[in-house]
Amino acid sequence: MALLSVQGISVSIGALNPLEGITFDIDKGEILGLVGESGSGKSLTAMCVMGLLPRIGGSITKGSIVFDGRDLIGLPEIELRRLRGKRIALISQNPMTSLDPIIRIGAQIDQVSNLHLGLSAEAAKARSLELIAQLRIPEPAAIHRAYPHQLSGGMKQRIVIAMALAADPDLIVADEPTTALDVTIQAQIIQIMVELVRDRGLALMLITHDMGVVAQACDRVVVLYAGRVAEMNGIGEIFAEPKHPYTRELIRCIPRFGQAPGSLKGIPGTVPSIVDYPDGCRFNPRCSNAQALCRDQAPALEPKSSGLAACHFSEV
Amino acid sequence: MDASVPRDDSLVTITDLTREFSSGDGFMKPRRTMRAVNDVSLDVPRGKVTGVVGESGCGKSTLARLVLRLLEATEGKVIFDGKDLATQSQSEMRKLRRQMQMVFQDPYSAIDPRYTIRRALLEPFKVQGEAKTAAEGKATVDELISMVGLSPRMMDSFPHQLSGGQKQRVGIARALALRPSFLVLDEPTASLDVSIQAQIIDLLESLKEELGLTYLFISHDLSLVRYFCDRVVVMYLGRVMEILPGAETQPRHHYAHALLDSNFEPDPTRRKIVTMLGGEIPSPFAKIPGCAFVARCPAASDICKRERPPLTRLGDGHMIACHNPMD
Ligand SMILES: Nc1ncnc2c1ncn2[C@@H]1O[C@H](COP(=O)(O)OP(=O)(O)O)[C@@H](O)[C@H]1O
Ligand SMILES: Nc1ncnc2c1ncn2[C@@H]1O[C@H](COP(=O)(O)OP(=O)(O)O)[C@@H](O)[C@H]1O
Ligand code: SF4
Ligand code: SF4
Ligand SMILES: [Mg+2]
Ligand SMILES: [Mg+2]
């Protein structure tokens, strides 16, 4: 049984319906990539899993989210809070959403294992120092005493990863954890995070818009387009034989080493905005395979020869 | 700068260019100066795309503004088409400006949000003091709009009605209005989705062919720069680390190598093990007598701390500033 199983969830925020029929699962020890262009619904999907939708006035109108055998939808806030941090941890793009600027770094990490694992002050500190070192931060003791503003963006994000690991969670949800950082720092943090997650056998839901990061880190991939799942497939299949035209086109948009000049074309049209999603398949105005049926009817997410895809005309 | 580099085919020649910025008033706060661009020399060959790549804060935008003399240099020279920009009078400079234009990451940072597309595209002519009849204006705008692949229906739209990609097309059309020969593109696709970024790069490629343009293309994305550019200039902390004559050339500078190493290919069969660099990017205010990369370089030796490695020639068009280049 999957550690996390998300089945057909739809979300409303006021009059908007930003997510529709989102379906995917994550196994223990697996790294699942969630990709899509801006506005496709990646962050909202993360908020659903974390049970944080009510904070922005949103609600899940359909579907289920089952974590380790328990349906999270309808779970009282107090139980959700117990799960968050302890069993499911969030790493967001901006480390300062997780860090308190006026509390020393060490105290903030210590608090996590103190609260969720019941460690004594001394044991919690020892654990924090070990985690800081595992994130390859030099001079863990000095960092333990420092305040957030004394660290660079990359260091702060490493601290947030240490905090996420401190409670020994089963699942980490990382929403564009390195997008704001410089490329050399980004690559190092992805590498360290993947190593630590794999060593501990944790599941990771890695949200990114970067197909290079997906190719480097993930076992399986969910591709979102305009609030729906376009495709879910294994990492090899996604890149070698994608089942959805959008996946195929998206991959072609990234320049590869040695690619001939003039061969990068992009996808025609614009990324649709939530206030005017097209009828039928939402990719139809930009899809080179689109037929009349695509404009009338939304394709269902169905099993293909590998994975799942939502396309009327992709091969079986 | 190595004098043996052929410079005759270059549209722009940059020599020992430096720009300092100061902070603090020297009274309550100590006055500190930093060199955002530090002794940079490079050529921009005619009809080619020269890429400048480096992480944020390394001086790319400052270099862009210096090259167009939108910012005065503290030291050094920019020669555009044989003319030293620093010695041009205001009226000569205004004429030269027609030939050199800039495209920004946020195309509307320089345009009034209350202007329609039509008005935004006619603005450059106004600035140049060039009157147009209504019919001429319409013809010009029609032509510019179709050149960048926008629909004529958009002419009376306001920027907030356009998507990011459409706005950038307007930014490009505006830069092309006065028929320049040289464009400086400062991260023109950095805030766009990849499916739109690829469209814009495609557009820039065809415009360059059609109009015979020369580009200085600035980006932090090495895979994009390697695809789009004929030569690649790698910057770090205001300095040029390496100039690669083509995308196929393997970098031999340790920083350029690290940058390449950090670039994940969209191919799961080509995963890499990233070399962990120690240290952090130093503060721009740090006075570094030697190589700017010394604190993070796995090959650093004593001389690297003491002496700044000069930019020297390795091969045809291949330049490097390193005491101990990689094999
Ligand atoms: N708090 C909110 N209120 C209303 N709409 C929202 C809110 N957050 C996100 N949305 C909308 O939901 C869609 C998906 O957003 P998001 O999940 O943030 O996308 P992504 O993370 O993929 O860029 C977008 O159209 C966005 O405008
Ligand atoms: N007008 C300015 N005043 C003071 N410092 C500046 C100014 N413009 C840029 N800088 C500094 O110069 C350095 C280089 O900046 P910039 O050229 O914008 O880099 P990049 O475009 O590569 O990100 C940075 O440290 C930046 O803070
Ligand atoms: S359903 Fe039709 S429009 Fe949508 S992706 Fe498939 S072929 Fe294209
Ligand atoms: S000069 Fe020295 S420190 Fe700088 S890159 Fe070369 S070997 Fe490294
Ligand atoms: Mg997001
Ligand atoms: Mg810049």
Side-chain angles (χ1 to χ4, degrees):
Chain A
M1 198 187 58
L3 175 67
L4 175 78
S5 170
V6 174
Q7 285 297 322
I9 53 168
S10 295
V11 162
S12 294
I13 306 174
L16 299 174
N17 302 299
L19 296 181
E20 219 179 85
I22 303 296
T23 295
F24 63 89
D25 51 31
I26 307 181
D27 284 332
K28 260 197 159 126
E30 188 180 40
I31 302 185
L32 180 82
L34 188 65
V35 289
E37 296 180 274
S38 57
S40 60
K42 303 180 296 296
S43 295
L44 284 182
T45 303
M47 293 185 87
C48 290
V49 172
M50 299 301 301
L52 293 172
L53 267 188
R55 295 205 186 162
I56 57 161
S59 59
I60 295 173
T61 54
K62 248 195 240 162
S64 65
I65 301 179
V66 177
F67 175 76
D68 201 13
R70 267 208 299 178
D71 196 336
L72 300 190
I73 298 177
L75 219 58
E77 175 60 26
I78 181 155
E79 299 238 359
L80 277 175
R81 206 172 299 160
R82 208 169 293 152
L83 279 175
R84 275 198 298 266
K86 168 81 192 89
R87 301 205 56 200
I88 310 178
L90 177 70
I91 300 168
S92 54
Q93 182 175 331
N94 178 359
M96 289 316 292
T97 53
S98 312
L99 293 172
D100 188 326
I102 59 165
I103 299 179
R104 288 179 203 270
I105 295 287
Q108 300 193 52
I109 313 177
D110 295 359
Q111 194 188 22
V112 177
S113 39
N114 175 275
L115 184 72
H116 294 292
L117 303 180
L119 296 191
S120 68
E122 250 163 285
K125 180 173 177 189
R127 183 176 169 79
S128 301
L129 288 173
E130 196 186 319
L131 282 165
I132 296 173
Q134 281 171 351
L135 279 144
R136 314 221 191 149
I137 299 174
E139 299 184 64
I143 296 293
H144 194 271
R145 283 189 304 269
Y147 288 97
H149 71 88
Q150 294 172 292
L151 307 187
S152 67
M155 283 300 162
K156 278 187 268 205
Q157 197 57 297
R158 290 187 200 202
I159 296 299
V160 173
I161 296 171
M163 279 169 72
L165 292 169
D168 230 346
D170 303 285
L171 171 65
I172 294 182
V173 176
D175 189 357
E176 312 233 22
T178 60
T179 300
L181 305 173
D182 269 321
V183 276
T184 52
I185 310 289
Q186 188 172 342
Q188 295 180 27
I189 292 188
I190 292 288
Q191 168 135 331
I192 295 171
M193 188 168 70
V194 165
E195 256 172 41
L196 292 177
V197 160
R198 294 228 188 266
D199 283 352
R200 291 166 161 75
L202 308 184
L204 171 66
M205 179 170 143
L206 180 58
I207 297 178
T208 174
H209 63 273
D210 184 337
M211 285 305 247
V213 168
V214 169
Q216 170 77 13
C218 300
D219 303 313
R220 266 186 327 130
V221 183
V222 176
V223 181
L224 294 185
Y225 188 79
R228 294 178 181 158
V229 174
E231 174 166 1
M232 172 161 75
N233 221 328
I235 187 76
E237 287 80 6
I238 282 281
F239 284 91
E241 40 175 273
K243 294 292 180 249
H244 195 284
Y246 174 63
T247 314
R248 189 185 63 222
E249 295 303 317
L250 186 65
I251 291 165
R252 282 196 194 148
C253 288
I254 305 143
R256 286 168 189 247
F257 180 61
Q259 184 168 341
S263 59
L264 194 71
K265 292 295 172 204
I267 308 179
T270 53
V271 180
S273 139
I274 188 163
V275 290
D276 50 16
Y277 279 153
D279 288 337
C281 172
R282 288 177 179 166
F283 189 52
N284 88 71
R286 307 177 75 191
C287 180
S288 56
N289 299 0
Q291 326 264 327
L293 176 64
C294 307
R295 291 183 273 275
D296 291 344
Q297 243 178 68
L301 187 65
E302 291 171 341
K304 305 285 173 182
S305 59
S306 67
L308 303 174
C311 172
H312 293 303
F313 297 105
S314 74
E315 73 278 41
V316 186
Chain B
M1 178 78 196
D2 191 326
S4 61
V5 181
R7 297 193 141 202
D8 36 339
D9 68 333
S10 68
L11 177 63
V12 185
T13 306
I14 298 163
T15 314
D16 304 333
L17 199 61
T18 293
R19 170 67 202 208
E20 289 187 347
F21 289 117
S22 314
S23 77
D25 49 18
F27 176 58
M28 299 294 283
K29 285 184 192 153
R31 189 160 187 84
R32 300 194 299 173
T33 56
M34 53 93 79
R35 297 188 154 187
V37 167
N38 190 338
D39 206 10
V40 164
S41 297
L42 60 98
D43 294 327
V44 181
R46 242 175 250 278
K48 298 243 187 307
V49 186
T50 300
V52 177
V53 68
E55 298 175 88
S56 67
C58 75
K60 303 182 295 297
S61 295
T62 304
L63 178 66
R65 291 191 294 151
L66 289 172
V67 169
L68 297 183
R69 209 184 151 198
L70 299 172
L71 190 70
E72 297 298 330
T74 307
E75 267 169 57
K77 257 192 210 170
V78 178
I79 312 276
F80 178 82
D81 208 10
K83 300 181 189 75
D84 183 343
L85 291 190
T87 63
Q88 303 297 306
S89 70
Q90 267 195 347
S91 72
E92 286 167 329
M93 201 56 219
R94 192 162 67 222
K95 262 184 246 151
L96 271 179
R97 287 221 184 285
R98 301 183 69 109
Q99 290 180 48
M100 31 199 260
Q101 293 287 323
M102 176 113 143
V103 176
F104 300 89
Q105 174 174 341
D106 172 10
Y108 268 85
S109 56
I111 305 177
D112 194 316
R114 295 164 305 176
Y115 286 8
T116 60
I117 305 311
R118 183 199 305 276
R119 187 155 172 208
L121 292 181
L122 288 173
E123 189 68 10
F125 298 98
K126 244 177 142 175
V127 173
Q128 285 281 329
E130 194 174 314
K132 279 196 185 295
T133 64
E136 283 168 351
K138 185 180 180 309
T140 304
V141 172
D142 276 349
E143 193 194 351
L144 285 171
I145 272 204
S146 75
M147 211 149 75
V148 297
L150 287 173
S151 145
R153 280 179 293 121
M154 281 177 181
M155 220 134 61
D156 295 305
S157 307
F158 290 93
H160 68 92
Q161 296 170 300
L162 305 186
S163 68
Q166 289 166 337
K167 273 189 242 180
Q168 194 50 284
R169 285 173 193 268
V170 174
I172 294 168
R174 191 169 186 266
L176 292 174
L178 298 166
R179 295 305 162 117
S181 52
F182 175 52
L183 285 190
V184 175
L185 303 147
D186 190 2
E187 310 228 29
T189 63
S191 51
L192 303 175
D193 279 311
V194 286
S195 71
I196 309 300
Q197 161 171 291
Q199 286 178 4
I200 298 290
I201 294 297
D202 183 25
L203 172 70
L204 290 170
E205 279 183 309
S206 24
L207 289 170
K208 177 182 160 278
E209 293 310 315
E210 267 166 53
L211 306 173
L213 298 167
T214 299
Y215 289 158
L216 185 67
F217 180 80
I218 292 171
S219 175
H220 65 274
D221 181 343
L222 188 61
S223 59
L224 190 60
V225 166
R226 290 220 294 173
Y227 166 74
F228 188 47
C229 302
D230 300 302
R231 351 174 31 230
V232 180
V233 179
V234 179
M235 279 183 75
Y236 186 74
L237 273 185
R239 310 176 187 193
V240 172
M241 299 282 113
E242 187 164 14
I243 302 180
L244 300 162
E248 304 75 37
T249 316
Q250 269 306 112
R252 293 184 55 196
H253 191 283
H254 299 276
Y255 175 66
H257 177 80
L259 206 56
L260 185 64
D261 201 32
S262 307
N263 188 58
F264 299 132
E265 283 281 313
D267 181 350
T269 64
R270 297 181 54 196
R271 289 188 176 173
K272 37 179 104 171
I273 296 168
V274 178
T275 320
M276 293 290 156
L277 294 176
E280 298 254 342
I281 303 176
S283 149
F285 291 97
K287 297 274 178 273
I288 304 171
C291 172
F293 192 54
V294 68
R296 303 169 76 198
C297 181
S301 57
D302 259 358
I303 186 171
C304 305
K305 285 190 204 116
R306 291 192 314 267
E307 278 174 42
R308 176 165 172 183
L311 192 65
T312 47
R313 206 181 132 159
L314 268 185
D316 202 8
H318 193 173
M319 312 279 293
I320 192 170
C322 176
H323 293 299
N324 315 306
M326 301 178 78
D327 297 326

